[in-house]
């Protein structure tokens, strides 16, 4: 799915993800996690996207670029991928518990089985996250990028914020 790099693209990406994963009969708990991860990946892509070509100055889309969303199911794993035109690699940042932003990739790192990025073509970056669709029987708090425990309040705030949108 190709989306304009505008703020409403995040909600469209979430809706598309829920619709596709529901049709694929992915269990609801995994759909909710995928929805959060797609939201974070798309938000990052939009914040850092650059237009791919120079549109006419008379066009209402003169400042709009694109980001891409791809989902694929390879049971027992689900891969979520967002593409943008920012050449810089994604970086997990440390954000305080009261920070209002800056923890998108931290959540991706904590809630996915693994994630990464690559450059499929010159000028295009793809950031992906993989979810294991096998339920975790020994529930334990997820570890952060340096092995530290993710504060439950951080994850709870992200989920509450996502449900409100």
């Amino acid at each position: 799915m190709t989306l304009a790099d505008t703020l409403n693209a995040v909600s469209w990406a979430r809706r598309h993800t829920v619709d596709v994963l529901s049709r694929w009969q992915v269990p609801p708990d995994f759909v909710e996690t995928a929805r959060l991860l797609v939201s974070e990946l798309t938000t990052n892509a939009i914040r850092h996207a650059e237009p791919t070509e120079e549109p006419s100055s008379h066009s209402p889309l003169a400042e709009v670029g694109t980001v891409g969303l791809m989902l694929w199911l390879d049971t027992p794993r689900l891969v979520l991928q967002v593409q943008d035109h920012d050449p810089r690699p994604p970086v997990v940042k440390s954000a305080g518990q009261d920070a209002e932003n800056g923890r998108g990739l931290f959540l991706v790192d904590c809630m996915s089985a693994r994630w990464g990025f690559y450059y499929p073509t010159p000028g295009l970056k793809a950031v992906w996250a993989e979810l294991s669709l096998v339920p975790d029987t020994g529930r334990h708090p997820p570890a952060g990028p340096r092995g530290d425990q993710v504060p439950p309040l951080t994850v709870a705030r992200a989920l509450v914020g996502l449900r409100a949108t």
Side-chain angles (χ1 to χ4, degrees):
M1 173 180 218
T2 302
L3 299 161
D5 69 351
T6 59
L7 294 178
N8 68 347
V10 177
S11 64
W12 283 110
R14 286 192 303 251
R15 287 182 184 125
H16 179 71
T17 299
V18 169
D19 183 48
V20 169
L21 299 186
S22 296
R23 290 175 189 265
W24 289 347
Q25 299 180 343
V26 172
D29 287 348
F30 295 105
V31 172
E32 189 65 23
T33 301
R35 182 175 176 246
L36 173 63
L37 296 180
V38 162
S39 182
E40 297 300 339
L41 293 173
T42 306
T43 298
N44 282 349
I46 288 170
R47 284 190 176 159
H48 304 291
E50 297 175 3
T52 55
E53 57 186 58
E54 192 67 37
S56 163
S57 61
H58 302 289
S59 169
L61 301 177
E63 297 297 320
V64 177
T66 60
V67 297
L69 169 65
M70 292 193 299
L71 312 168
W72 65 91
L73 181 62
D74 184 16
T75 306
R77 67 188 186 114
L78 170 66
V79 180
L80 318 165
Q81 179 174 292
V82 175
Q83 296 178 339
D84 65 45
H85 300 281
D86 181 12
R88 295 172 295 178
V91 177
V92 178
K93 297 178 182 175
S94 295
Q97 285 191 357
D98 293 330
E100 292 187 19
N101 56 37
R103 46 172 88 85
L105 282 177
F106 178 76
L107 289 171
V108 170
D109 186 61
C110 294
M111 299 183 81
S112 62
R114 59 192 188 121
W115 72 277
F117 72 98
Y118 66 101
Y119 299 97
T121 61
L124 190 64
K125 175 182 71 207
V127 182
W128 57 269
E130 181 181 306
L131 292 176
S132 173
L133 299 181
V134 178
D136 185 4
T137 56
R139 298 303 291 172
H140 54 279
R146 292 171 303 281
D148 51 337
Q149 296 298 313
V150 177
L153 185 57
T154 300
V155 175
R157 284 181 180 166
L159 290 173
V160 167
L162 182 61
R163 287 187 181 117
T165 59

